[in-house]
CSV table of all heavy atoms in Angstrom, one decimal:
chain,number,residue,atom,x,y,z
G,281,MET,N,39.2,50.7,13.7
G,281,MET,CA,38.3,51.7,13.2
G,281,MET,C,38.6,53.0,14.0
G,281,MET,O,38.7,53.0,15.2
G,281,MET,CB,36.9,51.2,13.4
G,281,MET,CG,35.9,52.3,13.0
G,281,MET,SD,34.2,51.7,13.2
G,281,MET,CE,33.3,53.1,12.7
G,282,PHE,N,38.5,54.1,13.2
G,282,PHE,CA,38.6,55.4,13.8
G,282,PHE,C,37.3,56.1,13.5
G,282,PHE,O,36.8,55.9,12.4
G,282,PHE,CB,39.8,56.2,13.2
G,282,PHE,CG,41.1,55.6,13.4
G,282,PHE,CD1,41.9,55.2,12.3
G,282,PHE,CD2,41.6,55.4,14.7
G,282,PHE,CE1,43.1,54.7,12.5
G,282,PHE,CE2,42.9,54.9,14.9
G,282,PHE,CZ,43.6,54.5,13.8
G,283,ALA,N,36.7,56.8,14.4
G,283,ALA,CA,35.5,57.5,14.2
G,283,ALA,C,35.5,58.9,14.9
G,283,ALA,O,36.2,59.1,15.9
G,283,ALA,CB,34.3,56.8,14.7
G,284,ALA,N,34.8,59.9,14.3
G,284,ALA,CA,34.8,61.2,14.8
G,284,ALA,C,33.3,61.7,14.8
G,284,ALA,O,32.6,61.4,13.8
G,284,ALA,CB,35.7,62.2,14.0
G,285,LEU,N,32.9,62.4,15.8
G,285,LEU,CA,31.6,63.0,15.9
G,285,LEU,C,31.7,64.5,16.0
G,285,LEU,O,32.4,65.0,16.9
G,285,LEU,CB,30.9,62.4,17.1
G,285,LEU,CG,29.6,63.1,17.6
G,285,LEU,CD1,28.5,62.9,16.6
G,285,LEU,CD2,29.2,62.6,18.9
G,286,ASN,N,30.9,65.2,15.2
G,286,ASN,CA,30.8,66.6,15.3
G,286,ASN,C,29.6,66.9,16.2
G,286,ASN,O,28.5,66.6,15.8
G,286,ASN,CB,30.6,67.2,13.9
G,286,ASN,CG,30.5,68.7,13.9
G,286,ASN,OD1,30.2,69.3,15.0
G,286,ASN,ND2,30.7,69.4,12.8
G,287,THR,N,29.8,67.3,17.4
G,287,THR,CA,28.8,67.4,18.4
G,287,THR,C,27.8,68.6,18.0
G,287,THR,O,26.7,68.6,18.5
G,287,THR,CB,29.3,67.6,19.8
G,287,THR,OG1,30.2,68.8,19.8
G,287,THR,CG2,30.1,66.4,20.2
G,288,ALA,N,28.2,69.5,17.2
G,288,ALA,CA,27.4,70.6,16.8
G,288,ALA,C,26.3,70.2,15.8
G,288,ALA,O,25.2,70.6,15.9
G,288,ALA,CB,28.2,71.8,16.3
G,289,THR,N,26.7,69.3,14.9
G,289,THR,CA,25.8,68.9,13.8
G,289,THR,C,25.3,67.5,13.9
G,289,THR,O,24.4,67.1,13.2
G,289,THR,CB,26.4,69.1,12.4
G,289,THR,OG1,27.6,68.2,12.3
G,289,THR,CG2,26.9,70.5,12.2
G,290,GLY,N,26.0,66.7,14.7
G,290,GLY,CA,25.7,65.2,14.8
G,290,GLY,C,26.3,64.4,13.7
G,290,GLY,O,26.0,63.2,13.6
G,291,GLU,N,27.1,65.0,12.8
G,291,GLU,CA,27.7,64.3,11.7
G,291,GLU,C,28.8,63.4,12.2
G,291,GLU,O,29.6,63.7,13.1
G,291,GLU,CB,28.3,65.3,10.7
G,291,GLU,CG,29.0,64.7,9.5
G,291,GLU,CD,29.6,65.7,8.6
G,291,GLU,OE1,29.6,66.9,8.9
G,291,GLU,OE2,30.0,65.3,7.5
G,292,VAL,N,28.9,62.2,11.7
G,292,VAL,CA,29.9,61.2,12.1
G,292,VAL,C,30.6,60.8,10.9
G,292,VAL,O,30.1,60.5,9.8
G,292,VAL,CB,29.2,59.9,12.7
G,292,VAL,CG1,30.2,58.9,13.0
G,292,VAL,CG2,28.4,60.3,14.0
G,293,ILE,N,32.0,60.6,11.0
G,293,ILE,CA,32.8,60.1,9.9
G,293,ILE,C,33.6,58.9,10.6
G,293,ILE,O,33.8,58.9,11.8
G,293,ILE,CB,33.7,61.1,9.3
G,293,ILE,CG1,34.7,61.6,10.3
G,293,ILE,CG2,32.9,62.2,8.6
G,293,ILE,CD1,35.9,62.4,9.6
G,294,GLY,N,34.0,58.0,9.7
G,294,GLY,CA,34.8,56.9,10.2
G,294,GLY,C,35.7,56.3,9.1
G,294,GLY,O,35.4,56.5,7.9
G,295,GLN,N,36.7,55.6,9.6
G,295,GLN,CA,37.6,54.9,8.6
G,295,GLN,C,38.0,53.6,9.3
G,295,GLN,O,38.2,53.5,10.5
G,295,GLN,CB,38.9,55.7,8.3
G,295,GLN,CG,38.7,56.8,7.4
G,295,GLN,CD,40.0,57.5,7.1
G,295,GLN,OE1,40.9,57.5,7.9
G,295,GLN,NE2,40.1,58.1,5.9
G,296,ILE,N,38.2,52.6,8.5
G,296,ILE,CA,38.6,51.3,9.0
G,296,ILE,C,40.0,51.0,8.4
G,296,ILE,O,40.2,51.2,7.2
G,296,ILE,CB,37.6,50.2,8.6
G,296,ILE,CG1,36.3,50.4,9.3
G,296,ILE,CG2,38.2,48.8,9.0
G,296,ILE,CD1,35.2,49.5,8.9
G,297,HIS,N,40.9,50.6,9.2
G,297,HIS,CA,42.3,50.3,8.8
G,297,HIS,C,42.6,48.9,9.3
G,297,HIS,O,42.2,48.5,10.3
G,297,HIS,CB,43.3,51.3,9.3
G,297,HIS,CG,43.1,52.7,8.8
G,297,HIS,ND1,43.6,53.1,7.6
G,297,HIS,CD2,42.5,53.7,9.3
G,297,HIS,CE1,43.3,54.3,7.4
G,297,HIS,NE2,42.6,54.8,8.4
G,298,ARG,N,43.5,48.2,8.5
G,298,ARG,CA,44.0,46.9,9.0
G,298,ARG,C,44.8,47.0,10.2
G,298,ARG,O,44.8,46.1,11.1
G,298,ARG,CB,44.8,46.2,7.9
G,298,ARG,CG,43.9,45.8,6.7
G,298,ARG,CD,44.7,45.1,5.7
G,298,ARG,NE,45.0,43.7,6.3
G,298,ARG,CZ,45.6,42.8,5.6
G,298,ARG,NH1,46.0,43.0,4.4
G,298,ARG,NH2,45.9,41.6,6.2
G,299,ARG,N,45.6,48.1,10.3
G,299,ARG,CA,46.5,48.3,11.4
G,299,ARG,C,46.1,49.6,12.1
G,299,ARG,O,45.6,50.5,11.4
G,299,ARG,CB,48.0,48.3,11.0
G,299,ARG,CG,48.3,47.0,10.3
G,299,ARG,CD,49.8,46.9,10.0
G,299,ARG,NE,50.5,46.8,11.2
G,299,ARG,CZ,51.8,46.8,11.3
G,299,ARG,NH1,52.5,46.9,10.2
G,299,ARG,NH2,52.5,46.7,12.4
G,300,HIS,N,46.4,49.8,13.3
G,300,HIS,CA,46.0,51.0,14.1
G,300,HIS,C,47.3,51.6,14.6
G,300,HIS,O,47.6,51.6,15.8
G,300,HIS,CB,45.0,50.7,15.2
G,300,HIS,CG,43.7,50.4,14.7
G,300,HIS,ND1,43.4,49.1,14.4
G,300,HIS,CD2,42.6,51.1,14.3
G,300,HIS,CE1,42.1,49.1,13.9
G,300,HIS,NE2,41.7,50.3,13.9
G,301,ARG,N,48.1,52.1,13.7
G,301,ARG,CA,49.4,52.8,14.1
G,301,ARG,C,49.2,54.3,14.1
G,301,ARG,O,48.2,54.8,13.6
G,301,ARG,CB,50.5,52.4,13.1
G,301,ARG,CG,50.7,50.9,13.0
G,301,ARG,CD,51.7,50.6,12.0
G,301,ARG,NE,51.2,51.0,10.7
G,301,ARG,CZ,51.8,50.9,9.5
G,301,ARG,NH1,53.0,50.4,9.5
G,301,ARG,NH2,51.3,51.3,8.4
G,302,ALA,N,50.2,55.0,14.5
G,302,ALA,CA,50.1,56.4,14.5
G,302,ALA,C,50.0,57.0,13.1
G,302,ALA,O,49.3,58.0,12.9
G,302,ALA,CB,51.4,57.0,15.2
G,303,VAL,N,50.5,56.3,12.1
G,303,VAL,CA,50.4,56.8,10.8
G,303,VAL,C,49.0,56.9,10.3
G,303,VAL,O,48.5,57.9,9.7
G,303,VAL,CB,51.3,55.9,9.8
G,303,VAL,CG1,51.0,56.3,8.4
G,303,VAL,CG2,52.7,56.0,10.2
G,304,GLU,N,48.2,55.8,10.6
G,304,GLU,CA,46.8,55.8,10.2
G,304,GLU,C,46.0,56.8,11.0
G,304,GLU,O,45.1,57.4,10.4
G,304,GLU,CB,46.3,54.3,10.3
G,304,GLU,CG,46.7,53.3,9.3
G,304,GLU,CD,48.1,52.7,9.7
G,304,GLU,OE1,48.6,52.9,10.8
G,304,GLU,OE2,48.6,51.9,8.8
G,305,PHE,N,46.3,56.9,12.3
G,305,PHE,CA,45.6,57.8,13.1
G,305,PHE,C,45.8,59.3,12.6
G,305,PHE,O,44.8,60.0,12.5
G,305,PHE,CB,46.0,57.7,14.5
G,305,PHE,CG,45.1,58.5,15.5
G,305,PHE,CD1,43.8,58.3,15.6
G,305,PHE,CD2,45.7,59.4,16.3
G,305,PHE,CE1,43.0,59.1,16.4
G,305,PHE,CE2,45.0,60.2,17.2
G,305,PHE,CZ,43.6,60.0,17.2
G,306,LYS,N,47.0,59.6,12.3
G,306,LYS,CA,47.3,60.9,11.8
G,306,LYS,C,46.6,61.2,10.5
G,306,LYS,O,46.0,62.3,10.3
G,306,LYS,CB,48.8,61.1,11.6
G,306,LYS,CG,49.2,62.5,11.2
G,306,LYS,CD,50.7,62.7,11.1
G,306,LYS,CE,51.0,64.1,10.6
G,306,LYS,NZ,52.5,64.3,10.5
G,307,LYS,N,46.5,60.2,9.6
G,307,LYS,CA,45.8,60.4,8.3
G,307,LYS,C,44.3,60.6,8.6
G,307,LYS,O,43.6,61.5,8.0
G,307,LYS,CB,45.9,59.2,7.4
G,307,LYS,CG,47.3,59.0,6.8
G,307,LYS,CD,47.3,57.8,6.0
G,307,LYS,CE,48.7,57.5,5.4
G,307,LYS,NZ,48.8,56.3,4.6
G,308,PHE,N,43.8,59.9,9.6
G,308,PHE,CA,42.3,60.1,9.9
G,308,PHE,C,42.1,61.5,10.5
G,308,PHE,O,41.1,62.2,10.2
G,308,PHE,CB,41.9,59.0,10.9
G,308,PHE,CG,40.5,59.3,11.4
G,308,PHE,CD1,39.4,59.1,10.6
G,308,PHE,CD2,40.2,59.7,12.7
G,308,PHE,CE1,38.1,59.3,11.0
G,308,PHE,CE2,39.0,60.0,13.1
G,308,PHE,CZ,37.9,59.8,12.3
G,309,LEU,N,43.0,62.0,11.4
G,309,LEU,CA,42.8,63.3,11.9
G,309,LEU,C,42.9,64.4,10.9
G,309,LEU,O,42.1,65.4,10.9
G,309,LEU,CB,43.9,63.6,13.0
G,309,LEU,CG,43.7,62.8,14.3
G,309,LEU,CD1,44.9,63.2,15.2
G,309,LEU,CD2,42.4,63.1,15.0
G,310,ILE,N,43.8,64.2,9.9
G,310,ILE,CA,43.8,65.2,8.8
G,310,ILE,C,42.5,65.1,8.0
G,310,ILE,O,42.0,66.2,7.6
G,310,ILE,CB,45.0,64.8,7.9
G,310,ILE,CG1,46.3,65.2,8.6
G,310,ILE,CG2,45.0,65.6,6.6
G,310,ILE,CD1,47.6,64.6,8.0
G,311,ARG,N,42.0,64.0,7.7
G,311,ARG,CA,40.7,63.9,7.0
G,311,ARG,C,39.6,64.5,7.8
G,311,ARG,O,38.7,65.2,7.3
G,311,ARG,CB,40.3,62.4,6.8
G,311,ARG,CG,39.0,62.3,6.1
G,311,ARG,CD,38.7,60.8,5.7
G,311,ARG,NE,37.3,60.8,5.2
G,311,ARG,CZ,36.4,60.1,5.8
G,311,ARG,NH1,36.6,59.4,6.9
G,311,ARG,NH2,35.2,60.1,5.3
G,312,ALA,N,39.5,64.3,9.2
G,312,ALA,CA,38.5,64.8,10.0
G,312,ALA,C,38.6,66.4,10.0
G,312,ALA,O,37.5,67.0,9.9
G,312,ALA,CB,38.6,64.3,11.4
G,313,ARG,N,39.8,66.9,10.0
G,313,ARG,CA,39.9,68.4,10.0
G,313,ARG,C,39.4,68.9,8.7
G,313,ARG,O,38.7,70.0,8.6
G,313,ARG,CB,41.4,68.7,10.2
G,313,ARG,CG,41.6,70.3,10.2
G,313,ARG,CD,43.0,70.6,10.6
G,313,ARG,NE,43.9,70.0,9.6
G,313,ARG,CZ,45.2,70.0,9.8
G,313,ARG,NH1,45.8,70.5,10.8
G,313,ARG,NH2,46.0,69.4,8.9
G,314,GLY,N,39.6,68.2,7.6
G,314,GLY,CA,39.1,68.6,6.3
G,314,GLY,C,37.6,68.6,6.2
G,314,GLY,O,37.0,69.5,5.6
G,315,VAL,N,37.0,67.5,6.7
G,315,VAL,CA,35.6,67.4,6.7
G,315,VAL,C,34.9,68.3,7.6
G,315,VAL,O,33.9,69.0,7.2
G,315,VAL,CB,35.2,65.9,7.1
G,315,VAL,CG1,33.7,65.8,7.3
G,315,VAL,CG2,35.7,64.9,6.0
G,316,PHE,N,35.4,68.5,8.9
G,316,PHE,CA,34.7,69.3,9.8
G,316,PHE,C,35.2,70.8,9.8
G,316,PHE,O,34.6,71.7,10.3
G,316,PHE,CB,34.9,68.8,11.2
G,316,PHE,CG,34.2,67.4,11.5
G,316,PHE,CD1,34.9,66.5,12.2
G,316,PHE,CD2,33.0,67.1,10.9
G,316,PHE,CE1,34.3,65.2,12.4
G,316,PHE,CE2,32.4,65.9,11.1
G,316,PHE,CZ,33.1,64.9,11.8
G,317,GLY,N,36.3,71.0,9.2
G,317,GLY,CA,36.9,72.3,9.0
G,317,GLY,C,37.5,72.9,10.3
G,317,GLY,O,37.1,72.5,11.4
G,318,GLY,N,38.5,73.8,10.2
G,318,GLY,CA,39.0,74.5,11.3
G,318,GLY,C,39.7,73.6,12.3
G,318,GLY,O,40.2,72.5,12.0
G,319,LEU,N,39.8,74.1,13.5
G,319,LEU,CA,40.5,73.4,14.6
G,319,LEU,C,39.5,72.3,15.2
G,319,LEU,O,38.3,72.5,15.2
G,319,LEU,CB,40.8,74.4,15.7
G,319,LEU,CG,41.8,75.5,15.4
G,319,LEU,CD1,42.0,76.5,16.5
G,319,LEU,CD2,43.2,74.9,15.0
G,320,LEU,N,40.2,71.3,15.6
G,320,LEU,CA,39.4,70.2,16.2
G,320,LEU,C,39.7,70.1,17.7
G,320,LEU,O,40.8,70.3,18.2
G,320,LEU,CB,39.8,68.8,15.6
G,320,LEU,CG,39.5,68.6,14.1
G,320,LEU,CD1,40.1,67.2,13.7
G,320,LEU,CD2,38.1,68.6,13.9
G,321,GLN,N,38.6,69.8,18.5
G,321,GLN,CA,38.8,69.4,19.9
G,321,GLN,C,38.7,67.9,19.9
G,321,GLN,O,37.7,67.4,19.4
G,321,GLN,CB,37.8,70.1,20.8
G,321,GLN,CG,37.9,71.5,21.0
G,321,GLN,CD,36.9,72.1,22.0
G,321,GLN,OE1,35.8,71.6,22.0
G,321,GLN,NE2,37.3,73.1,22.7
G,322,VAL,N,39.7,67.2,20.4
G,322,VAL,CA,39.7,65.8,20.3
G,322,VAL,C,39.6,65.2,21.7
G,322,VAL,O,40.3,65.5,22.6
G,322,VAL,CB,41.0,65.3,19.6
G,322,VAL,CG1,41.1,63.8,19.6
G,322,VAL,CG2,41.1,65.9,18.2
G,323,LEU,N,38.6,64.3,21.8
G,323,LEU,CA,38.5,63.4,23.0
G,323,LEU,C,38.8,62.0,22.5
G,323,LEU,O,38.1,61.5,21.6
G,323,LEU,CB,37.1,63.4,23.5
G,323,LEU,CG,36.8,62.4,24.6
G,323,LEU,CD1,37.7,62.7,25.8
G,323,LEU,CD2,35.3,62.5,25.0
G,324,LEU,N,39.8,61.4,23.0
G,324,LEU,CA,40.3,60.1,22.5
G,324,LEU,C,39.7,59.0,23.4
G,324,LEU,O,39.9,59.0,24.6
G,324,LEU,CB,41.8,60.1,22.5
G,324,LEU,CG,42.5,58.8,22.1
G,324,LEU,CD1,42.1,58.5,20.6
G,324,LEU,CD2,44.0,58.9,22.2
G,325,ALA,N,39.1,58.1,22.8
G,325,ALA,CA,38.6,56.9,23.5
G,325,ALA,C,39.2,55.7,22.7
G,325,ALA,O,39.1,55.6,21.5
G,325,ALA,CB,37.1,56.8,23.4
G,326,ALA,N,39.8,54.8,23.4
G,326,ALA,CA,40.5,53.7,22.8
G,326,ALA,C,40.0,52.4,23.4
G,326,ALA,O,39.8,52.3,24.6
G,326,ALA,CB,42.0,53.8,23.0
G,327,SER,N,39.9,51.4,22.6
G,327,SER,CA,39.6,50.0,23.1
G,327,SER,C,40.7,49.1,22.5
G,327,SER,O,41.0,49.2,21.3
G,327,SER,CB,38.2,49.6,22.7
G,327,SER,OG,38.1,49.3,21.3
G,328,LEU,N,41.1,48.2,23.3
G,328,LEU,CA,42.1,47.2,22.8
G,328,LEU,C,41.5,46.0,22.2
G,328,LEU,O,40.5,45.5,22.8
G,328,LEU,CB,43.0,46.8,24.0
G,328,LEU,CG,43.8,47.9,24.7
G,328,LEU,CD1,44.5,47.4,25.9
G,328,LEU,CD2,44.8,48.6,23.7
G,329,PRO,N,41.9,45.6,21.1
G,329,PRO,CA,41.3,44.4,20.5
G,329,PRO,C,41.6,43.2,21.4
G,329,PRO,O,42.6,43.0,22.0
G,329,PRO,CB,42.0,44.2,19.2
G,329,PRO,CG,43.3,45.0,19.3
G,329,PRO,CD,43.1,46.1,20.3
G,330,VAL,N,40.6,42.3,21.4
G,330,VAL,CA,40.7,41.1,22.3
G,330,VAL,C,41.0,39.9,21.3
G,330,VAL,O,40.3,39.8,20.3
G,330,VAL,CB,39.3,40.8,23.0
G,330,VAL,CG1,39.4,39.5,23.8
G,330,VAL,CG2,39.0,42.0,23.9
G,331,ALA,N,42.0,39.2,21.7
G,331,ALA,CA,42.4,38.0,20.9
G,331,ALA,C,41.2,37.0,20.9
G,331,ALA,O,40.5,36.8,21.9
G,331,ALA,CB,43.6,37.4,21.4
G,332,GLU,N,41.0,36.4,19.8
G,332,GLU,CA,39.9,35.5,19.7
G,332,GLU,C,40.0,34.3,20.7
G,332,GLU,O,41.1,33.7,20.8
G,332,GLU,CB,39.8,34.9,18.2
G,332,GLU,CG,38.6,34.2,17.9
G,332,GLU,CD,38.5,33.8,16.4
G,332,GLU,OE1,38.7,34.7,15.6
G,332,GLU,OE2,38.2,32.7,16.2
G,333,GLY,N,38.9,34.0,21.4
G,333,GLY,CA,39.0,32.9,22.3
G,333,GLY,C,39.3,33.3,23.7
G,333,GLY,O,39.1,32.6,24.7
G,334,ARG,N,39.8,34.5,23.9
G,334,ARG,CA,40.2,34.9,25.3
G,334,ARG,C,39.0,35.7,26.0
G,334,ARG,O,39.1,35.8,27.2
G,334,ARG,CB,41.4,35.8,25.3
G,334,ARG,CG,42.6,35.0,24.9
G,334,ARG,CD,43.9,35.8,25.1
G,334,ARG,NE,44.0,36.2,26.5
G,334,ARG,CZ,44.9,37.1,26.9
G,334,ARG,NH1,45.8,37.6,26.0
G,334,ARG,NH2,45.0,37.5,28.1
G,335,GLU,N,38.1,36.2,25.3
G,335,GLU,CA,36.9,36.9,25.8
G,335,GLU,C,37.3,38.0,26.8
G,335,GLU,O,36.6,38.2,27.8
G,335,GLU,CB,35.9,36.0,26.4
G,335,GLU,CG,35.1,35.2,25.4
G,335,GLU,CD,35.7,33.8,25.2
G,335,GLU,OE1,36.3,33.3,26.1
G,335,GLU,OE2,35.6,33.3,24.1
G,336,GLY,N,38.4,38.6,26.6
G,336,GLY,CA,38.8,39.7,27.4
G,336,GLY,C,39.4,39.4,28.8
G,336,GLY,O,39.6,40.3,29.6
G,337,ARG,N,39.6,38.1,29.1
G,337,ARG,CA,40.2,37.7,30.4
G,337,ARG,C,41.7,38.2,30.4
G,337,ARG,O,42.4,37.9,29.5
G,337,ARG,CB,40.1,36.2,30.6
G,337,ARG,CG,38.7,35.8,30.8
G,337,ARG,CD,38.6,34.3,30.9
G,337,ARG,NE,38.8,33.8,29.5
G,337,ARG,CZ,38.8,32.6,29.1
G,337,ARG,NH1,38.6,31.6,30.0
G,337,ARG,NH2,38.9,32.2,27.9
G,338,LEU,N,42.0,38.8,31.5
G,338,LEU,CA,43.4,39.3,31.7
G,338,LEU,C,44.1,38.3,32.6
G,338,LEU,O,43.5,37.9,33.6
G,338,LEU,CB,43.4,40.7,32.2
G,338,LEU,CG,42.8,41.8,31.3
G,338,LEU,CD1,42.8,43.1,32.0
G,338,LEU,CD2,43.5,41.8,30.0
G,339,ARG,N,45.3,38.0,32.3
G,339,ARG,CA,46.1,37.2,33.2
G,339,ARG,C,47.1,38.0,34.0
G,339,ARG,O,47.7,39.0,33.4
G,339,ARG,CB,46.8,36.1,32.4
G,339,ARG,CG,45.9,35.2,31.7
G,339,ARG,CD,46.7,34.2,30.9
G,339,ARG,NE,45.8,33.3,30.3
G,339,ARG,CZ,46.2,32.3,29.4
G,339,ARG,NH1,47.5,32.1,29.2
G,339,ARG,NH2,45.3,31.5,28.9
G,340,PRO,N,47.3,37.8,35.2
G,340,PRO,CA,48.3,38.5,36.0
G,340,PRO,C,49.7,38.3,35.4
G,340,PRO,O,50.0,37.2,34.9
G,340,PRO,CB,48.2,38.0,37.4
G,340,PRO,CG,47.4,36.7,37.3
G,340,PRO,CD,46.7,36.7,36.0
G,341,ARG,N,50.6,39.3,35.5
G,341,ARG,CA,51.9,39.1,35.1
G,341,ARG,C,52.7,38.2,36.0
G,341,ARG,O,52.6,38.3,37.2
G,341,ARG,CB,52.6,40.5,35.0
G,341,ARG,CG,52.1,41.3,33.9
G,341,ARG,CD,52.7,42.7,34.0
G,341,ARG,NE,54.0,42.7,33.3
G,341,ARG,CZ,54.8,43.7,33.2
G,341,ARG,NH1,54.4,44.8,33.7
G,341,ARG,NH2,55.9,43.6,32.6
G,342,ARG,N,53.5,37.3,35.5
G,342,ARG,CA,54.3,36.4,36.3
G,342,ARG,C,55.7,37.1,36.5
G,342,ARG,O,56.2,37.6,35.6
G,342,ARG,CB,54.5,35.1,35.7
G,342,ARG,CG,53.1,34.4,35.6
G,342,ARG,CD,53.3,33.0,35.0
G,342,ARG,NE,52.0,32.4,34.8
G,342,ARG,CZ,51.8,31.2,35.0
G,342,ARG,NH1,52.7,30.4,35.5
G,342,ARG,NH2,50.6,30.7,34.9
G,343,ARG,N,56.2,37.0,37.7
G,343,ARG,CA,57.5,37.6,38.0
G,343,ARG,C,58.5,36.6,38.1
G,343,ARG,O,58.4,35.5,38.4
G,343,ARG,CB,57.4,38.4,39.2
G,343,ARG,CG,56.5,39.6,39.1
G,343,ARG,CD,56.5,40.4,40.3
G,343,ARG,NE,55.5,41.5,40.1
G,343,ARG,CZ,55.7,42.7,40.5
G,343,ARG,NH1,56.7,43.0,41.3
G,343,ARG,NH2,54.8,43.6,40.3
């Protein structure tokens, strides 16, 4: 999911994609620029999907 917040108006837009590649992110940024108009200031926050059953547990890398 990609989401954008216009802090001046409180308006939020979002899009859901099956994959989160640069192609989809670029399409979303183009849409956000069209909706909010003009130049965008972007703060990027990312979360990594957690595989089902792992509950976010990280394993140390084995050497």
Side-chain angles (χ1 to χ4, degrees):
M281 176 178 179
F282 300 119
L285 167 68
N286 183 338
T287 57
T289 65
E291 181 181 5
V292 176
I293 63 167
Q295 283 183 333
I296 297 174
H297 294 278
R298 290 184 72 175
R299 300 185 72 185
H300 291 88
R301 300 174 299 178
V303 173
E304 288 84 7
F305 186 60
K306 185 175 178 183
K307 287 179 184 178
F308 175 72
L309 289 177
I310 291 169
R311 177 174 176 245
R313 184 175 55 193
V315 170
F316 297 140
L319 297 174
L320 295 177
Q321 288 184 329
V322 176
L323 171 63
L324 179 62
S327 71
L328 300 173
V330 176
E332 194 172 310
R334 289 189 59 191
E335 287 97 29
R337 289 176 285 183
L338 298 177
R339 295 181 182 176
R341 293 175 81 180
R342 294 181 187 221
R343 295 180 183 217

